[in-house]
Amino acid sequence: MRYIPITQADKAAMLRDIGVSSTEELFAANIPAEVRLNRPLDLPPALTEMEILAHLRELAAQNADTAEYACFLGGGAYDHYVPAAVDAVLRRGEFLTAYTPYQPEISQGVLQAIYEYQSLMCELTGMDLSNASMYDGASALAEAAGMVVNQTGRSKLLVARSVHPHYRRVVETYMHGVGVELIEVPLDGVTLDLNRLEALMTDEVGGLLLQTPNYLGYLEQVRQIEAIVHRMSGLFVVAVDPVSLGLLEAPGHYGADIVVAEGQGLGVPLSYGGPYLGILATRERFARKMPGRIAGATVDNRGQRGFVLTMQAREQHIRREKATSNICTNQALIALAATVYLALVGKEGLREVANLSLQKAHYAAQQIAALPGWRLAGSAPFFKEFTVLAPAPAQAVSRHLLGHKILGGIDAGAAYPELLDGAAGAVTLAVTEKRTRAEIDRLVAALGEVK
Amino acid sequence: MRYIPITQADKAAMLRDIGVSSTEELFAANIPAEVRLNRPLDLPPALTEMEILAHLRELAAQNADTAEYACFLGGGAYDHYVPAAVDAVLRRGEFLTAYTPYQPEISQGVLQAIYEYQSLMCELTGMDLSNASMYDGASALAEAAGMVVNQTGRSKLLVARSVHPHYRRVVETYMHGVGVELIEVPLDGVTLDLNRLEALMTDEVGGLLLQTPNYLGYLEQVRQIEAIVHRMSGLFVVAVDPVSLGLLEAPGHYGADIVVAEGQGLGVPLSYGGPYLGILATRERFARKMPGRIAGATVDNRGQRGFVLTMQAREQHIRREKATSNICTNQALIALAATVYLALVGKEGLREVANLSLQKAHYAAQQIAALPGWRLAGSAPFFKEFTVLAPAPAQAVSRHLLGHKILGGIDAGAAYPELLDGAAGAVTLAVTEKRTRAEIDRLVAALGEVK
Amino acid sequence: ALVPLLFEQSTPGKRAVTFPAPDVPAVEISEAIPADLLRQVPPALPELSEVEVVRHFTQLSRLNHGVDVDFYPLGSCTMKYNPKVNEEAARIPGFALTHPMQPAETVQGNLKLLHTLERWLCEVTGMDRMTFQPAAGAQGELTGILLIRAYHEARGEGERNEVIVPDSAHGTNPATAAMAGYRVVPVKSMPDGSIDLESLRQTVGPKTAALMMTNPSTLGLFDPHVKEITEIVHEAGGLCYYDGANLNAIMGYARPGDMGFDVVHINLHKTFSTPHGGGGPGSGPVGVKSHLVPFLPVPVVEQQGDRYVLDWDRPQSIGKLHAFWGNFGVVVRAYAYVLAHGPALKEVSEYAVLNANYVMAHLKKYYDVFVDRYCMHECVLAARTLKQETGVKTLDVAKRLLDEGVHPPTIYFPLIVEEALMIEPTETEDKATLDRFIDAMIRIHDEARSNPEHVKAAPHKTPVGRLDEALAARRPNLRYKREQC
Amino acid sequence: ALVPLLFEQSTPGKRAVTFPAPDVPAVEISEAIPADLLRQVPPALPELSEVEVVRHFTQLSRLNHGVDVDFYPLGSCTMKYNPKVNEEAARIPGFALTHPMQPAETVQGNLKLLHTLERWLCEVTGMDRMTFQPAAGAQGELTGILLIRAYHEARGEGERNEVIVPDSAHGTNPATAAMAGYRVVPVKSMPDGSIDLESLRQTVGPKTAALMMTNPSTLGLFDPHVKEITEIVHEAGGLCYYDGANLNAIMGYARPGDMGFDVVHINLHKTFSTPHGGGGPGSGPVGVKSHLVPFLPVPVVEQQGDRYVLDWDRPQSIGKLHAFWGNFGVVVRAYAYVLAHGPALKEVSEYAVLNANYVMAHLKKYYDVFVDRYCMHECVLAARTLKQETGVKTLDVAKRLLDEGVHPPTIYFPLIVEEALMIEPTETEDKATLDRFIDAMIRIHDEARSNPEHVKAAPHKTPVGRLDEALAARRPNLRYKREQC
């Protein structure tokens, strides 16, 4: 009877009003015997609240976490600081336990927050409009790919090999069914090969999916790339790290047609990979092709400003098989987290986070590159993440760091063997504003022990 | 500028409106030079939010806590389970950041919660009325002592030696200034000596302060004691463990005149001793002598039920030096915690908590008493806490348990040397519903190793 | 404006959260980053103090309804109470502070939790394996249909290009099929929402890849021929997809796997009580029968002795749906929820069905019922007669309910019911709340006769009145721009 | 009723939180506990489900105003913003889950925190040592006066039995003196709230134990003769007690210790920004000059090398005020607050004073100001003229403010000002909020002339209207009883 507030007396009265003698009659009237389950569910015995928490704490204790370990892992999820006020807002029951604001008159809180989120994403990315959120960065990129195909009518797409391998895999998965051909543009060093891009970017190709900073941490030459893509009237899709936009140019200012991002860095805990936040922003002219919910401002019959869900003619509950996407439930609460986060750090704060991450990452890179047997995988500019060639396999590096209570060492060589160049391993490291100099020095010292 | 939202531009405009050129003028106009501090405060440099939490986590890591150690400590603070919904309610900004409900029209939330708290305390204790809270169990007992003196006009009070030594010390501190003479009633074994009580309880004595279960964990013979106290028209003040009232008779039903309690067990974290909750309930006829805030039901000018602070003529802000107490800020949020807790566990749940604690404590006591060299300090009935005589000094026992990740072993012999009876130590142990049989067995095994 | 926008409250120079000064030797940004990649104009984020941010969102929240505030019988959305202990559970540092790229040996707790919940949910649904990657129901559907596609392709039956979807289905079903590259073939429902077997028999064929079905249907009624339906599809070589939107009706009573479904998705945020968050995050795990296991997204959590690993080596896999492993924080909450019930999960469905029938029993005298049969976990009523007689339509009834402090039911869905009101009370509501709702619905029904204009002008007590949605669509204002304020 | 009482919502048999079955061999309760000590009738606690409890308190909270909701310029209460990080700080398991009876070696972090904050607060106040035992300001006062009593008694001057309290003082001052067994001797204030030196000179004498003083006074003005005042008292053999209620005005600018005070209490929930919680918990640490250190409550936290211990061996101690060591969880929050500011604590007072003067500058044309001088952190205005001219009194102004969504100032205090309005904006309010308040106060002033009856009937927009306090006092209804519902 956990969480069920019907007493036996109430149940009896209710059954009487319904006109049956047991709930079994209700089920019997509906479910034919041939599909009835005639045994109890084979589940562990119910626990009380106290036991549930004790059990889960035991389970969680079997993990290493970033409270105990210094985290230099990145690869699309970053250990940025989450201000305390973010969770204080998220815990408000009116946000936490509401659903999609179908009834705007009692949902102005969620609706205004979405409108503010959309506005913030436009400011960050330099784009005209944003939806109310996608599942994560990877599926946002896949939805953007679908938009490109729909918009251009071209069924080939270029994907930079420097895009996060998981993201590429998600794009492939989404595009497989609709028969889109994905063509990989290879690396030249640690960034996209512009010559190959130029050759591959034909007028049969809908556009390019790019990520910058890319998976290895390096900044792509976006202005040159933009020119190549647009020369063939392709669409230029850019996946970014939103935190980087405190320092780096907004994709809207260098010609991106669609910007996607993983929003986790904006006030969202690592939480073993989710729930995160897919950001998707685009140009006004692609508005009707955009997937996902959108809130808009309007007025009520008392003359007050208010907010509603709008442009719903794109969506599945109206358009069904002709919808721009099947997305329904999205990541509203995480979008709220990002909204609260950006309101808290503000204009200066985001720049500070970006700058601190950059400073510390560059310090770490310099120190590691100075270690005998270690060198940077490339000389391209980077933001908070970079890749180093190691004198040992990446897994050995990672294992060694664990012994020093450090999480770090994504195996870049596994995904990009072309990078190794004779080295035993290639390792990607991320450094956020949370990492202290002492922790970085500890990392460097530990790496120095790797042979 | 942490938490200060005035910008330099705003400041300038405000100074202009005020008609000064700097805030210094405002201070200069008020504070004479002779008392001005002419140097910066010698405080550590300001930290950012991120650094504050990191620093505090480091500090907290220097403590042993009950998440890591099995806690068998009691002595007025108990490791009972706090349901998650309690803190969810307490975090609501409207409760957390309000103050005493001086403006009832926008404070019905706090006021109704206080009214409900008062009602719950009356139900628990069997008394007619309760105030809105006192600081803690000890000061509640001291305030009750003051009530007795005021009500009876007798300036001597009996205090059972079996009352928590800290509580007795607080009562002494409070009573010292007003010249009340406190007379200690000694132990007979592990409970009050009824013969001595009978002898000491004269018609010059205002009453008796008793605690049951007492500091050593044992139940006092309240019915016999009540008869003795009332025979001399004294007032009978009883301090209880509110959790015990799920099983034990309510003091209101055996003639208590004032009931006080430490409310920590009702949904309040241990928090190294505070904030806790002082409960004070009494008979209707002592209403005007009761210290503290009281909420009452009334109606508004629209005919709706509402709640207000009432009976304020007792209080310091009206009566000044003639007030029943100087108390102003109390423990409202902790009273709210107790209210939420009791609503969550309800009638059955409180009984379950009490019963589980009793069952586990008795199991532990039996097992320990069966260890060679160990025996119970007395044969009186007990609830969730008991005292054992040990083959080693209490501090050695406590130290040994720490090595087994167990917190336990309050030194009863230090406060009650008469208890030792030749044993090397006397140790009080508490067992709540949170302790598992495995933990108790671990405790027993560890104690078995003590020589 | 009830609450000004963050941007409207912004003042240059205000700060809330600040960060420490760098503790490493400074790098010149201009040396690290080429000028053409540096931002020239910083993003115009609002500048506010912490008190303003907290007040802003506190005030916004107070304009919002949620399950924590009062009844929320939004049909099809299963707005049940979200236990507070689960919020604590998901915030345990050992879960919340783990990085998705940690080596498996450092996240054994996470992997064990995923593996265990997979087993439990397979038991509830009658499936063999499950993936937690889909972030919501719709992504679960896409995953499921792509699994079916991969199955057919692996068997050399890639020419199957049709997915059959009943006309009563949620919009996500046809939209999903289209996203997976399928032609959507509608099949008509009978008036009781069940699938017309004859029509189905005529629809299936060598082009049939799958049937997507919600059971109980969106009318809240269990399709008695479900076994026959899945057999018809299977005989035609198609597979059967179970949309778990309405799983809250049948737990412990029946299992999609036993009905013949090959794939099923579950909405953890509905049936397993994770908070809806104003529109997510959800979680839409997908379960499959053994013949579809090779196609599951990578990686799959496998147990090896007493260790758990992520298995990426699955050549037939459809790929990935999520950058990492899905909405793990949501999964933790669902795990705690199952633990809180054990085999008594069955009672969840029992009381969900009881509550829906109780509401229907009381309201069917006042609102139209098209199928007068006991319902499952939700009941679909309609204001068709009311509209004919008074001009008060379903939308008006819903808006008037707002004045009663409860969230209205889903309206105008399913599409096959005119002026529909789809009421899903869930099992976490007590009789008193249902009675209050029933009384309100009856009062509105009566008021529609005595004072229809008052109902049509509703809501009257909400912070804003009826909003001009047409204006919002005609002149889209989708973001703040400085010149607007 | 807006929200039914818990008891009115109760239904027999409902449960929220449950507990596991015993895992130890059963003991018969009747064997463990004598029958006459067992409860015959269980306490009639309400029986509710978790969803009902959460909704109940969520709904109640929505009827309540707090600093998180909007402006709360309640004079003398320092309703500043409470940083959210401090809520996290106090909940760190290493703090929140420590037991007060743990051996010192297992709580070194706690003891270090207490010892460090003691040092910091001594620096802010100019005192030598401090105790954290008092749970609130009033208990701090009692502690302080008992320390003074112990001092005189130790010097054989126990005959000093008078405490001098200005007539402008908070009620806690005289109430405290009486609780400590002293005769309260009032001393008149000058119209500007400062102490009449002549009158003071005539009042002090061999009976004088102490003077209790708030500076700035409750009129928000700093007493320029404070040094002379403390000297007069000291010369007469008395000690000086500083009521820290208004410390938020002077941090970094002046220190009670430097003004000649021997004892001071601080309200952590005011000046150091710990939440007021609807009326507590607070924390009222007391600082003393060295001559009072021997009398501090036991135990005292002492540093020995790099270890911290609790020192109980203090024969001259006044004893204890709290069962343990005070409201530790509140102390953690204050510690975090000091860390967030460092020496910039001075700016807290700077802006608190700026804000109060800004409000006064704008409102003194509309409301009476008795002392036209720059104020400190709060300003005292009055509606005396308004009342004379319109019949609208301070209470009406306050109630009308409720309709504006802000909490009214403290009213009818200090007692020496007729129709007083005591406004303390604190430093955590921005100019826009102050302007909104100023506008509202002016609007009400104007409305009092144009439509006085509307003001007198206020509030109009709150969930309840004016409440009948007389009825509440005449027919006390202080608890729910079953027959009432």
Side-chain angles (χ1 to χ4, degrees), chain A residues 251-263:
Chain A
H253 301 162
Y254 53 75
D257 297 293
I258 306 173
V259 179
V260 302
E262 171 50 66

Side-chain angles (χ1 to χ4, degrees), chain A residues 326, chain C residues 137-145 172-173 176 212 241 243 265:
Chain A
N326 71 342
Chain C
Q139 207 185 24
E141 293 180 32
L142 179 63
T143 307
I145 297 301
T172 49
N173 289 178
T176 296
M212 297 183 82
Y241 182 91
D243 178 334
H265 89 260

Side-chain angles (χ1 to χ4, degrees), chain D residues 287-321:
Chain D
V288 295
K289 288 279 181 63
S290 57
H291 48 285
L292 289 165
V293 170
F295 310 106
L296 283 173
V298 284
V300 170
V301 182
E302 297 285 6
Q303 187 171 7
Q304 294 179 346
D306 60 350
R307 307 303 293 166
Y308 297 86
V309 296
L310 290 175
D311 177 13
W312 286 86
D313 185 18
R314 304 180 68 86
Q316 290 191 284
S317 166
I318 59 167
K320 276 187 78 53
L321 276 298

Side-chain angles (χ1 to χ4, degrees), chain B residues 57-95:
Chain B
R57 290 213 172 93
E58 234 171 74
L59 214 49
Q62 295 169 36
N63 298 324
D65 65 53
T66 61
E68 208 186 334
Y69 286 68
C71 179
F72 292 93
L73 288 169
Y78 301 94
D79 186 27
H80 286 294
Y81 180 69
V82 181
V86 175
D87 197 44
V89 171
L90 262 52
R91 283 177 187 260
R92 297 272 309 168
E94 297 94 329
F95 286 132

Side-chain angles (χ1 to χ4, degrees), chain C residues 133-151:
Chain C
Q133 265 188 55
Q139 207 185 24
E141 293 180 32
L142 179 63
T143 307
I145 297 301
L146 289 174
L147 287 166
I148 289 171
R149 172 178 277 281
Y151 171 84

Side-chain angles (χ1 to χ4, degrees), chain D residues 188-196 217 222-225 229 373:
Chain D
K188 266 200 92 63
S189 302
M190 310 283 278
D192 69 352
S194 66
I195 290 177
D196 182 335
S217 73
F222 197 90
D223 195 319
H225 308 113
I229 290 166
R373 199 179 107 186

